[in-house]
Amino acid sequence: MENHDTARWESAVLDGGPAQGLRTRVADRPHVLQVTRPCPPDGPGEEVRVSALYVYRRDPRTDDAPLRYTFDVASP
């Protein structure tokens, strides 16, 4: 388990896709971020939770904050 007290937090911005321009903080420069958007069920099955999944990959060319994560249209 990671110790969040020693994690290195940095600002990041998401580029493209449904989270275009969203700013967030990330710990220890992850290579991939996952963004979900709820999709409310219609009719029977309302006790089930459905989410659309979007993947953003860190742009290795950005070394300074804010880090940039670009939308991966091919994932998942």
Side-chain angles (χ1 to χ4, degrees):
M1 181 180 280
E2 290 182 32
N3 182 348
H4 292 286
D5 293 336
T6 62
R8 184 173 157 224
W9 290 92
E10 297 179 84
S11 294
V13 64
L14 304 184
D15 186 21
Q20 167 65 33
L22 182 82
R23 291 185 167 278
T24 189
R25 289 185 330 138
V26 297
D28 300 326
R29 296 186 171 209
H31 293 286
V32 176
L33 295 180
Q34 177 177 302
V35 173
T36 61
R37 177 181 285 168
C39 301
D42 242 354
E46 292 178 2
E47 67 281 354
V48 175
R49 183 174 24 192
V50 179
S51 297
L53 172 69
Y54 304 95
V55 173
Y56 287 78
R57 298 192 185 277
R58 183 167 46 84
D59 185 341
R61 298 172 294 180
T62 58
D63 204 30
D64 298 326
L67 299 174
R68 183 166 298 280
Y69 286 80
T70 56
F71 178 60
D72 184 343
V73 296
S75 289

